[in-house]
Structures are given as structure tokens and as C-alpha cells.
Amino acid sequence: MAKQEDQFKKVLSHAKEYGYVFQSSEIYDGLSAVYDYAQNGVELKKNIRDYWWKAMVQMHENIVGIDAAILMHPTTWKASGHVDAFNDPLIDNKDSKKRYRADVLVEDFREKINQKIEKDITKAKKRFGESFNEEEFRATNQNVIRRQKQMDEITVELTRVQEESDLEGFRQLIIDLGINCPVSGSNNWTEVKQFNLMFGTKIGASAENSTQVYLRPETAQGIFVNFLNVQKTGRMKIPFGIAQTGKAFRNEIVARQFIFRMREFEQMEMQFFVKPGTQKEWYKEWKETRLKWHLSLGMGAENYRFHDHDKLAHYADAAADIEFNFPFGFKELEGIHSRTDFDLKAHEEYSGKKLQYFDHEENKSYVPYVVETSIGLDRMFLAVFSNSLQEEALENGTTRTVLKLPAVLAPFKAAIFPLVKKDGLPEVARKIMDDLKWDFNVFYDEKDAVGKRYRRQDAAGTPFCITVDHDTLKDNSVTIRHRDTMEQKRVAIADLKQIIKDAVDVKTWLQKM
Ligand code: GAP
């Protein structure tokens, strides 16, 4: 646990030090759960977005993109259920005046029990070595059995109070479990209240004539309301998809873990419209396809797992998360949801307009079913960034900090250095830079000893460093150093473009899918 926290702290400080993520309005002490992407961060974010867009839109002839507005007609959110049901249960501690999400208090409590089980298992594994059988241990160890039973009981009661919106039952559960406020240490709790997560604002010049609108809490609704426009103008045939990337806003109560849970964030969503009755197959297909996309980045298959939902939202007939092993454990990175015809039907009802597809093969109209893939761009950024940040012990006894970003996503693909700032070397280095910059984002640096410059680029995540030295003047060759292996090779300037292209080309990476 301490190791995980340590790694997470390193991620936070590295993201700031190397120009990836800054706290928003830092000079005013920041705004909670809002962040700015800095000069390197904006490039990484753009590259992740492009990698998603290419895989989803460019590679699928039956998927097109849109860019809908953040502000939408307020009835959209009534139809989608967000006005009435996009709530989190809140509870305050009367002594510390601190506010918590009631479900998070209970889930954290349950997780602590789970960690005790894991600790017992780790200990037993050490004791029994090769002969250890985890399944048998879980089934026979009395401590584990007792704790697992307690966890299961908590899950059942938590699900019940949530499903039945039993707010008094929720409070009682917290009290019965003996959960105290981490700040005051007391269990002097208020009642549980529902809190809507949408940010509201007004359109209009005067108070009397203004209209209540909302900052969208998901990009998906912009796709649903445009379903027929896109289908007709694009002459799309079912099955087809509409993709979109863009900002979403949620007034999260417990906003923590850096860019994992933000109040302003970006989503990359795709709604796939299918014939009713075929949604199960498409759901399975998209689960597989999306996992393959993640795996193509080479961040370790062991760092992903599916979490199939037992408790489904009112609109879904199946749902799963792709979870990633973040520095604070496995957490949701992406959701794949089979959303039935709930959204389109609701928009039909509230707008009074038909949102149906005429199927020429079937010779009938119907409201399509929808399978959605929805990933948070900022969460993906955190997954990539935290997984890439490594400390390596070197043979000479020193350590180096290296950000082993997948080369296809790295903000800068190469840094170009003249060995010294004289003898015509900067001019040659600049010439190489001027040529490469048409194809790649490249960086020029002539300050400090070359070893120091290498380390700076390792930590910033640049896959290649190219050094121009005195031999370059004689034979038009340079040294190219690889970030991950630190291997250095002498190559012709004329070959640089191809060497970099081979390593960073989207095609090479996406073909691994
Ligand atoms: N349209 C479906 C939808 O919005 P969701 O599970 O609420 O589903 C989808 O969100 C994804 O958006 C999540 O898997 C997560 O990656 C990202 N996300 C949700 N809330 C977020 C937040 N407050 N901060 C950052 N990312 C968030």
C-alpha cells in the first residue's frame, strides 16, 4: 500500500515537473478536481485522442464522427434521466462538517476487509510456497471465511439501499458498520441526501427570461439527439456507429486521485446502433475490440481486467468495465454498455419526433438498440502516464527516471542535440530538425552536457535522441539513442525519417490489434 502511494506521489510530481499536468488556477491555490494540461500533456492527450479516433472512425467504414455542443436543450436531460436520477448519496459529519459520498464510505470499509483477506493470502503464500492453493485456502481458512461473509452481507445491503433509494437504511448501514469520520473520528452523521451531479447555468440576459441549462454530464446524448440527422445525411445502414470526443462536466462530491475523477473531463464515446435482438453479439464484439485496442499499446495484459456488472442501470441489459491497474489499484477505465432502445425511445417521447430507422431488408421501421463504448480521456492519460513512469537501476550503480510512453503516443518523437554549441554543429542539427519537423514533433536542445540532455529526454518520454558530432560533418552520420534500451547506433542522416517512422507509426501500433 505504502509502495502504491509512493508511486502515485511520484506520478503527481513528475506530471508537474515535466510539463504534463498543472493544477488549474494554481496561483489562486487551485480549483478542486480541475486540472490544466501543459505543453507536453496536451500533446500526449491529443495523441491518445487521435489513436482512439483512428481506431474507431478511420478504421471503420460504418462509424462516423460528430462534434455536438456542450450546451443542449434542457429537455434532453429530462429525457435521459439525468435531471431525476443522476444523483450521488451524500452524508455529512456534524462534528468535522466534512461531506462524504455514503456509498464510497461503505465501499472503502468493505475494501479494507478485502485487504485483510489479501494480506492473509500473501502471508500464507509465503509460508506454504509452491504447494499453496489459494482456492482451498479461501474455502477453509476461518478468518477468510468470516471476512468474506461480512463483505458479502455489506454488498447485499448496499445494493438494497441503493436500489430502493432507502436513505434512512443507508445511514443505518454506516452506523451499524461503525464507520467513523476520518477527520473527527465520530459517528455523528446527518441523514443521507441525494445530490444531483449536473452543473447548471442560465441562458438569457435577464433573470425573468433566462432558461436553465446544464453543462453536459456525458457526450452520449449529443449523439442520440443527432442519430437520425447523421443516419439520413450519411446514408448510414444499420449496424453503424457515431463517435465523439469532448468535454463533460460532473459536480463530483468525492473528487480525488488527481485526474482520475475530475469535475471537468473529456470523454471518447461511440454509440453503435444495431437491430433489436442482435445487441448481445455486438456487446460481446465491442468488449473484445476495445480490450484489443488497449492491449495494442503494450502496457501489459496483466494490467487489465473486465468487471461485469451485476447491478445494471435502468436502461441497460448488460454492462462491463475495462479496469486498469492504476497506482491505487484496479479501477474503471472504460465502460461498455448495452443501452437497449432506452435513450432513443425517451427522446422520441419527450420531443414528439420519430427516431426510427427504416430497414429495407426487413421492410419495417424500428428504434435501434445501442451498444456504447465510453472511455475517459483523462483516465486513459493517467493509465498511460503512471504505467510508463519507471525508475531503473543502472549498471554503474546510479538510477534513472524514464517515462516509457508507447512511442506512438509520446509528445515528442525525437530530440536533436549538437554535441557542442560550436564548430557548425548547431547549424547541422537545426537542418535535421527543420527536415524532420514536417513529419514528427521534434525538440531541439543544446544546453548542458549531452548525458544530462539524454536524462532530461528519458524523463520527458522522448523515444529517440539524435546527436550531431564532429564526425557528422565528415560522413553525414549521427548517433541515435533509444530511450528504453539506451542503445546507441550510428546511422545516416538520410535514414532517420524511416527509423523514427517505423517506431512511431500509428499503423504499426494499431495493426497489433
Ligand atoms: N455515456 C456513458 C457514461 O458516461 P460513465 O461510466 O459514467 O458512462 C464513462 O463514464 C467513462 O468516463 C468512465 O469509464 C471514465 O473513464 C470516464 N469518467 C466518468 N466520470 C469521470 C470523472 N469524474 N473524471 C474523469 N473521468 C470520468
Side-chain angles (χ1 to χ4, degrees), residues 58-75:
Q58 198 168 321
M59 289 297 121
H60 289 100
E61 58 185 273
N62 61 348
I63 300 182
V64 292
I66 62 163
D67 183 15
I70 287 171
L71 297 177
M72 300 180 68
H73 192 285
T75 311

PDB file of all heavy atoms in Angstrom, residues 58-75:
ATOM      1  N   GLN A  58     -11.647   6.137 -38.393  1.00  0.00           N
ATOM      2  CA  GLN A  58     -10.949   5.955 -39.677  1.00  0.00           C
ATOM      3  C   GLN A  58     -10.903   4.487 -40.119  1.00  0.00           C
ATOM      4  O   GLN A  58     -10.981   4.189 -41.300  1.00  0.00           O
ATOM      5  CB  GLN A  58      -9.528   6.517 -39.544  1.00  0.00           C
ATOM      6  CG  GLN A  58      -8.857   6.776 -40.867  1.00  0.00           C
ATOM      7  CD  GLN A  58      -7.587   7.598 -40.682  1.00  0.00           C
ATOM      8  OE1 GLN A  58      -7.537   8.511 -39.869  1.00  0.00           O
ATOM      9  NE2 GLN A  58      -6.564   7.284 -41.432  1.00  0.00           N
ATOM     10  N   MET A  59     -10.797   3.574 -39.153  1.00  0.00           N
ATOM     11  CA  MET A  59     -10.661   2.157 -39.498  1.00  0.00           C
ATOM     12  C   MET A  59     -12.001   1.439 -39.690  1.00  0.00           C
ATOM     13  O   MET A  59     -12.027   0.257 -40.012  1.00  0.00           O
ATOM     14  CB  MET A  59      -9.859   1.418 -38.395  1.00  0.00           C
ATOM     15  CG  MET A  59      -8.408   1.778 -38.367  1.00  0.00           C
ATOM     16  SD  MET A  59      -7.616   1.288 -39.902  1.00  0.00           S
ATOM     17  CE  MET A  59      -7.018   2.836 -40.473  1.00  0.00           C
ATOM     18  N   HIS A  60     -13.116   2.137 -39.419  1.00  0.00           N
ATOM     19  CA  HIS A  60     -14.428   1.501 -39.585  1.00  0.00           C
ATOM     20  C   HIS A  60     -15.255   2.301 -40.577  1.00  0.00           C
ATOM     21  O   HIS A  60     -15.633   3.440 -40.268  1.00  0.00           O
ATOM     22  CB  HIS A  60     -15.187   1.449 -38.253  1.00  0.00           C
ATOM     23  CG  HIS A  60     -14.617   0.471 -37.277  1.00  0.00           C
ATOM     24  ND1 HIS A  60     -13.791   0.848 -36.243  1.00  0.00           N
ATOM     25  CD2 HIS A  60     -14.756  -0.869 -37.176  1.00  0.00           C
ATOM     26  CE1 HIS A  60     -13.454  -0.224 -35.557  1.00  0.00           C
ATOM     27  NE2 HIS A  60     -14.021  -1.275 -36.103  1.00  0.00           N
ATOM     28  N   GLU A  61     -15.544   1.712 -41.710  1.00  0.00           N
ATOM     29  CA  GLU A  61     -16.316   2.488 -42.693  1.00  0.00           C
ATOM     30  C   GLU A  61     -17.748   2.730 -42.237  1.00  0.00           C
ATOM     31  O   GLU A  61     -18.427   3.594 -42.772  1.00  0.00           O
ATOM     32  CB  GLU A  61     -16.265   1.851 -44.079  1.00  0.00           C
ATOM     33  CG  GLU A  61     -16.780   0.440 -44.121  1.00  0.00           C
ATOM     34  CD  GLU A  61     -16.587  -0.167 -45.506  1.00  0.00           C
ATOM     35  OE1 GLU A  61     -17.475   0.029 -46.328  1.00  0.00           O
ATOM     36  OE2 GLU A  61     -15.543  -0.806 -45.735  1.00  0.00           O
ATOM     37  N   ASN A  62     -18.206   1.984 -41.234  1.00  0.00           N
ATOM     38  CA  ASN A  62     -19.577   2.204 -40.748  1.00  0.00           C
ATOM     39  C   ASN A  62     -19.622   3.004 -39.444  1.00  0.00           C
ATOM     40  O   ASN A  62     -20.612   2.970 -38.734  1.00  0.00           O
ATOM     41  CB  ASN A  62     -20.321   0.873 -40.581  1.00  0.00           C
ATOM     42  CG  ASN A  62     -19.633  -0.028 -39.565  1.00  0.00           C
ATOM     43  OD1 ASN A  62     -18.506   0.233 -39.144  1.00  0.00           O
ATOM     44  ND2 ASN A  62     -20.328  -1.080 -39.150  1.00  0.00           N
ATOM     45  N   ILE A  63     -18.520   3.719 -39.127  1.00  0.00           N
ATOM     46  CA  ILE A  63     -18.555   4.620 -37.959  1.00  0.00           C
ATOM     47  C   ILE A  63     -18.121   6.012 -38.414  1.00  0.00           C
ATOM     48  O   ILE A  63     -17.098   6.162 -39.089  1.00  0.00           O
ATOM     49  CB  ILE A  63     -17.627   4.133 -36.821  1.00  0.00           C
ATOM     50  CG1 ILE A  63     -18.051   2.733 -36.352  1.00  0.00           C
ATOM     51  CG2 ILE A  63     -17.663   5.109 -35.650  1.00  0.00           C
ATOM     52  CD1 ILE A  63     -17.237   2.174 -35.202  1.00  0.00           C
ATOM     53  N   VAL A  64     -18.942   7.006 -38.058  1.00  0.00           N
ATOM     54  CA  VAL A  64     -18.600   8.400 -38.403  1.00  0.00           C
ATOM     55  C   VAL A  64     -18.559   9.217 -37.119  1.00  0.00           C
ATOM     56  O   VAL A  64     -19.096   8.798 -36.095  1.00  0.00           O
ATOM     57  CB  VAL A  64     -19.633   9.016 -39.381  1.00  0.00           C
ATOM     58  CG1 VAL A  64     -19.565   8.365 -40.739  1.00  0.00           C
ATOM     59  CG2 VAL A  64     -21.045   8.942 -38.803  1.00  0.00           C
ATOM     60  N   GLY A  65     -17.915  10.378 -37.213  1.00  0.00           N
ATOM     61  CA  GLY A  65     -17.784  11.209 -36.022  1.00  0.00           C
ATOM     62  C   GLY A  65     -18.669  12.437 -36.071  1.00  0.00           C
ATOM     63  O   GLY A  65     -19.111  12.860 -37.132  1.00  0.00           O
ATOM     64  N   ILE A  66     -18.944  12.999 -34.879  1.00  0.00           N
ATOM     65  CA  ILE A  66     -19.594  14.321 -34.821  1.00  0.00           C
ATOM     66  C   ILE A  66     -18.937  15.112 -33.689  1.00  0.00           C
ATOM     67  O   ILE A  66     -18.159  14.562 -32.903  1.00  0.00           O
ATOM     68  CB  ILE A  66     -21.129  14.258 -34.567  1.00  0.00           C
ATOM     69  CG1 ILE A  66     -21.451  13.610 -33.210  1.00  0.00           C
ATOM     70  CG2 ILE A  66     -21.854  13.563 -35.692  1.00  0.00           C
ATOM     71  CD1 ILE A  66     -22.876  13.895 -32.746  1.00  0.00           C
ATOM     72  N   ASP A  67     -19.281  16.389 -33.635  1.00  0.00           N
ATOM     73  CA  ASP A  67     -18.823  17.220 -32.524  1.00  0.00           C
ATOM     74  C   ASP A  67     -20.010  18.066 -32.079  1.00  0.00           C
ATOM     75  O   ASP A  67     -20.233  19.158 -32.596  1.00  0.00           O
ATOM     76  CB  ASP A  67     -17.642  18.098 -32.987  1.00  0.00           C
ATOM     77  CG  ASP A  67     -17.077  18.936 -31.849  1.00  0.00           C
ATOM     78  OD1 ASP A  67     -17.382  18.634 -30.681  1.00  0.00           O
ATOM     79  OD2 ASP A  67     -16.323  19.886 -32.132  1.00  0.00           O
ATOM     80  N   ALA A  68     -20.795  17.540 -31.161  1.00  0.00           N
ATOM     81  CA  ALA A  68     -22.014  18.231 -30.714  1.00  0.00           C
ATOM     82  C   ALA A  68     -21.652  19.277 -29.653  1.00  0.00           C
ATOM     83  O   ALA A  68     -20.589  19.201 -29.028  1.00  0.00           O
ATOM     84  CB  ALA A  68     -22.994  17.214 -30.136  1.00  0.00           C
ATOM     85  N   ALA A  69     -22.568  20.223 -29.459  1.00  0.00           N
ATOM     86  CA  ALA A  69     -22.318  21.300 -28.496  1.00  0.00           C
ATOM     87  C   ALA A  69     -22.396  20.781 -27.062  1.00  0.00           C
ATOM     88  O   ALA A  69     -23.076  19.790 -26.783  1.00  0.00           O
ATOM     89  CB  ALA A  69     -23.349  22.406 -28.699  1.00  0.00           C
ATOM     90  N   ILE A  70     -21.705  21.484 -26.183  1.00  0.00           N
ATOM     91  CA  ILE A  70     -21.737  21.128 -24.753  1.00  0.00           C
ATOM     92  C   ILE A  70     -23.100  21.481 -24.161  1.00  0.00           C
ATOM     93  O   ILE A  70     -23.663  20.737 -23.366  1.00  0.00           O
ATOM     94  CB  ILE A  70     -20.596  21.854 -24.003  1.00  0.00           C
ATOM     95  CG1 ILE A  70     -19.259  21.209 -24.362  1.00  0.00           C
ATOM     96  CG2 ILE A  70     -20.828  21.847 -22.490  1.00  0.00           C
ATOM     97  CD1 ILE A  70     -18.032  21.942 -23.872  1.00  0.00           C
ATOM     98  N   LEU A  71     -23.637  22.629 -24.565  1.00  0.00           N
ATOM     99  CA  LEU A  71     -24.958  23.034 -24.071  1.00  0.00           C
ATOM    100  C   LEU A  71     -26.015  22.422 -24.979  1.00  0.00           C
ATOM    101  O   LEU A  71     -25.928  22.520 -26.198  1.00  0.00           O
ATOM    102  CB  LEU A  71     -25.091  24.556 -24.090  1.00  0.00           C
ATOM    103  CG  LEU A  71     -24.128  25.326 -23.186  1.00  0.00           C
ATOM    104  CD1 LEU A  71     -24.317  26.825 -23.371  1.00  0.00           C
ATOM    105  CD2 LEU A  71     -24.306  24.951 -21.723  1.00  0.00           C
ATOM    106  N   MET A  72     -27.017  21.798 -24.372  1.00  0.00           N
ATOM    107  CA  MET A  72     -28.085  21.183 -25.166  1.00  0.00           C
ATOM    108  C   MET A  72     -29.431  21.639 -24.616  1.00  0.00           C
ATOM    109  O   MET A  72     -29.516  22.146 -23.491  1.00  0.00           O
ATOM    110  CB  MET A  72     -27.985  19.650 -25.075  1.00  0.00           C
ATOM    111  CG  MET A  72     -26.667  19.111 -25.600  1.00  0.00           C
ATOM    112  SD  MET A  72     -26.578  17.323 -25.487  1.00  0.00           S
ATOM    113  CE  MET A  72     -27.797  16.829 -26.695  1.00  0.00           C
ATOM    114  N   HIS A  73     -30.470  21.413 -25.389  1.00  0.00           N
ATOM    115  CA  HIS A  73     -31.809  21.765 -24.909  1.00  0.00           C
ATOM    116  C   HIS A  73     -32.045  21.063 -23.565  1.00  0.00           C
ATOM    117  O   HIS A  73     -31.766  19.865 -23.434  1.00  0.00           O
ATOM    118  CB  HIS A  73     -32.863  21.314 -25.931  1.00  0.00           C
ATOM    119  CG  HIS A  73     -34.196  21.898 -25.644  1.00  0.00           C
ATOM    120  ND1 HIS A  73     -34.988  21.439 -24.612  1.00  0.00           N
ATOM    121  CD2 HIS A  73     -34.871  22.924 -26.211  1.00  0.00           C
ATOM    122  CE1 HIS A  73     -36.095  22.160 -24.571  1.00  0.00           C
ATOM    123  NE2 HIS A  73     -36.047  23.069 -25.537  1.00  0.00           N
ATOM    124  N   PRO A  74     -32.550  21.795 -22.552  1.00  0.00           N
ATOM    125  CA  PRO A  74     -32.661  21.189 -21.215  1.00  0.00           C
ATOM    126  C   PRO A  74     -33.527  19.929 -21.157  1.00  0.00           C
ATOM    127  O   PRO A  74     -33.306  19.064 -20.300  1.00  0.00           O
ATOM    128  CB  PRO A  74     -33.267  22.303 -20.351  1.00  0.00           C
ATOM    129  CG  PRO A  74     -33.662  23.397 -21.266  1.00  0.00           C
ATOM    130  CD  PRO A  74     -32.923  23.220 -22.551  1.00  0.00           C
ATOM    131  N   THR A  75     -34.482  19.809 -22.103  1.00  0.00           N
ATOM    132  CA  THR A  75     -35.344  18.601 -22.067  1.00  0.00           C
ATOM    133  C   THR A  75     -34.526  17.331 -22.351  1.00  0.00           C
ATOM    134  O   THR A  75     -34.910  16.240 -21.943  1.00  0.00           O
ATOM    135  CB  THR A  75     -36.511  18.739 -23.079  1.00  0.00           C
ATOM    136  OG1 THR A  75     -37.118  20.000 -22.875  1.00  0.00           O
ATOM    137  CG2 THR A  75     -37.551  17.654 -22.898  1.00  0.00           C
TER     138      THR A  75
END
